[in-house]
Amino acid sequence: MRRPSAFLAGALLMLIFVGAKLAIVWPLTTGRMEADLLAVCAEDVALAVGFGVVAHLLLGASGGRAGLQRWVWRGMMGVGAVAALYAIVNVGIYRHLRQPLNFRLLRLIGKPADLRSSIAANSDAGVVAALIFVPIGYVMALRRFSRLSLGRRPRAALVLVALTWMTVGFGLRAHTPVDGWQRRAAKNAHRELVGSTVAWLFFNQLGADAGTYPASYLDDFRLAGQRSAAPPLKEFSPPPRNLILIVLESTTAQYMSLYGSKYATTPRLVDESRHALVFERFYAHIGYTFCSMMPLVYGEHPGLPWCYRPVGKRESPPGLAGLLRARGMRTAYFSVADPEWNGMDMMVKKAGMDEVFGPAEMGGPMASSWGTEDGVAIDALTRWVAKSPEKPFFAMVWTDQTHHPYTLARDTVPVQFVAKSAFQTAEDLNRYLNGIRQADRHLGRLFDWLRGARLADDTLVVITGDHGEAFGELHDVIGHGGGMFDENLRVPLMMWSPRLFPEGRRSEKVGGHMDLVPTLAQVYGVKEPPDWQGTSLFSDDHPGRVYLQADVASRQFGLTDERYKYMKYVENHYERLYDLKADPRELHDLSKDEAVLTAEFSARVSAFLHAEEAYMRGADPAKPFEIQGGK
């Protein structure tokens, strides 16, 4: 009896892989369509060929035993169908992330059910139909034509085509730009997921990333207990009795008119900046929501890609909320999204928040599977304050509607900021810009309420973002978590107080999320816990540098100071350096022209990696640290 055709199994899978990759990259407008197609599909062709070879060997090992051969064939059909299904799934993933799914990203997914709205927004009718019919069609074709036998010449010709495609394609890919879209699109989704899982589970994470550095570079990482105590700020004396911290979800400074954006997204914040201190250069350390929670409540860095806080041997230090609560403030956390996502409710409770309000407690209409409408949180905050207006309070509010899929409330009248055909993500960007404008309107309602309740002069309102959001306008990065450009990590920082800032001010001081808690502690005259890593933005001890990272497409580490931005791409083995004063859009790489400065920043990043690893292991981050191996 003739064996089932392993050749057919591999050939059909190759067609599906190539078709799925075409759905990702089409239409190609590079002017070198044939070359790019060969390059981005080479790895997929190689995996399909490998699948066919494995199927052939397994069927041959069955020794002609019909029963065993039948089960081997069924198993290979099942594996092929799953592989075909995942190739189609990757179309939606790549359209949203601009790269395949990997283990690092899977670890960051808190509650998969919350993803429903974002998944639906990236699943058009074609993708949904392909998810259903392609795997079924693959199995049916193999069942119907399993004994199909091609002649030697047709088989030899197809094998030659596949081998030529692989050889030429890998060669062409090697000559594409190291940071070009072709490199990301060329990754086979299956190999990327399996390979990243194996790498994370079995390989030393730190040793591949950290090099040598002068011991003096560790001065940037002295803890609060190793620095001079921050003196009270006379200009802020007495500080406002009340404190409100607003965290705008996925809100980058680049798209706020408060920071000079061409889009009029924050007219109310622009107006209120006359009563505020606005920091021009403030950054999230990494583009993930729960990673931003750690620095914003505990004053410590979010950790490293293989060990995000609060994991590690060192316990988190006291949170600002607990310190203010000990001074008589009542405390509460208001989350538009599910506060249990990735344990964020436990983080704020441990930090000192007495009450936690999520969608279930606040009520109001759900905007998406992620959470309720932003205005609901502002209403819940004002009700909570109004219950005991005579008592000082610290409240933290985390919005959500500027998170993908960028929903708008029924009472929000959208503005057409961007022409629909301007570029691929124009429709998403338009909804996002309207989401920022919607958040600005709700912030205006809060300011009006504070004035009406006669609390404005006694309340400090601090507004920041948890991370940025990119739409591929300047760089080939979409969403958050996948880059360190300003659109990914530069966020607003506005401190509003009509009494403290009657005329408004702007500061060029560079800072990061973990500096905010020490800054507020200095404003309120609170002694910093010795393990806080951040430094007050009003302190002369601030190092003037912020250390950054990204961990979606690949591990990336970098830093920014008052002039430059440095980026190191670990897996891809290249660096980038930008002069932000001369090139604020980060378009002109200076890493080759400024080799000495690039080497210095690379060494500072190595010092950061060693210091952060030491901190998480309970050692002194300001002393040289010996890598012990393992994770």
Side-chain angles (χ1 to χ4, degrees), residues 323-340:
L323 299 176
L324 294 178
R325 182 179 62 185
R327 298 181 58 169
M329 284 189 175
R330 56 191 183 116
T331 59
Y333 174 70
F334 300 83
S335 177
V336 173
D338 183 355
E340 296 181 0

Side-chain angles (χ1 to χ4, degrees), residues 64-390:
R65 288 171 288 179
L68 179 59
Q69 190 177 87
R70 188 180 306 112
W71 282 107
V72 169
W73 180 242
R74 288 173 179 172
M76 295 307 297
M77 284 196 298
V79 171
V82 171
L85 177 67
Y86 189 64
I88 305 303
V89 169
N90 183 59
V91 174
I93 293 172
Y94 189 94
R95 287 176 177 176
H96 184 52
L97 298 178
R98 285 296 191 271
Q99 70 105 56
L101 188 66
N102 56 40
F103 185 76
R104 293 187 291 270
L105 188 58
L106 280 177
R107 290 177 59 231
L108 297 172
I109 297 175
K111 297 177 68 175
D114 290 343
L115 300 172
R116 293 193 311 273
S117 296
S118 291
I119 292 173
N122 286 285
S123 301
D124 56 31
V127 172
V128 173
L131 285 171
I132 298 171
F133 294 112
V134 168
I136 294 175
Y138 177 80
V139 172
M140 292 180 64
L142 291 184
R143 289 175 64 88
R144 183 175 180 84
F145 302 108
S146 62
R147 311 291 175 177
L148 179 67
S149 177
L150 295 177
R152 288 187 176 181
R153 289 186 177 179
R155 281 191 295 175
L158 288 174
V159 169
L160 181 61
V161 168
L163 292 177
T164 302
W165 193 327
M166 291 161 52
T167 303
V168 175
F170 282 121
L172 289 170
R173 188 173 78 172
H175 288 86
T176 57
V178 291
D179 55 353
W181 66 269
Q182 296 94 335
R183 296 287 181 108
R184 290 192 300 278
K187 293 180 179 180
N188 174 265
H190 311 76
R191 185 204 60 78
E192 179 71 5
L193 183 58
V194 173
S196 62
T197 302
V198 172
W200 192 88
L201 291 175
F202 298 108
F203 291 95
N204 185 321
Q205 301 293 319
L206 178 61
D209 299 333
T212 59
Y213 54 88
S216 62
Y217 286 3
L218 293 174
D219 290 345
D220 282 5
F221 313 107
R222 290 178 299 159
L223 302 178
Q226 298 169 323
R227 298 190 300 266
S228 301
L233 295 169
K234 294 181 180 180
E235 60 181 317
F236 295 160
S237 181
R241 294 175 68 249
N242 310 311
L243 174 62
I244 299 174
L245 173 59
I246 307 287
V247 183
L248 301 175
E249 172 66 40
S250 305
T251 300
T252 179
Q254 174 178 308
Y255 289 118
M256 301 176 71
S257 47
L258 176 67
Y259 287 92
S261 171
K262 62 182 178 182
Y263 306 114
T265 52
T266 55
R268 190 59 189 269
L269 289 184
V270 169
D271 184 55
E272 295 293 345
S273 66
R274 296 178 299 168
H275 312 295
L277 171 59
V278 177
F279 287 86
E280 301 282 2
R281 299 280 313 287
F282 193 68
Y283 287 86
H285 300 284
I286 189 170
Y288 303 134
T289 294
F290 89 95
C291 285
S292 293
M293 172 65 81
M294 298 306 299
L296 288 174
V297 299
Y298 290 112
E300 62 180 0
H301 199 274
L304 294 168
W306 48 90
C307 188
Y308 288 126
R309 301 290 293 161
V311 176
K313 293 183 179 179
R314 186 188 298 266
E315 287 289 325
S316 293
L320 177 65
L323 299 176
L324 294 178
R325 182 179 62 185
R327 298 181 58 169
M329 284 189 175
R330 56 191 183 116
T331 59
Y333 174 70
F334 300 83
S335 177
V336 173
D338 183 355
E340 296 181 0
W341 189 81
N342 267 324
M344 291 177 68
D345 60 333
M346 299 305 297
M347 293 184 201
V348 295
K349 287 178 181 177
K350 186 177 179 182
M353 290 295 183
D354 283 325
E355 298 179 87
V356 175
F357 298 91
E361 292 78 18
M362 295 187 298
M366 293 294 286
S368 69
S369 60
W370 289 105
T372 187
E373 294 182 356
D374 290 347
V376 171
I378 299 300
D379 293 338
L381 168 65
T382 55
R383 289 196 302 269
W384 177 78
V385 173
K387 285 182 179 179
S388 302
E390 74 287 352

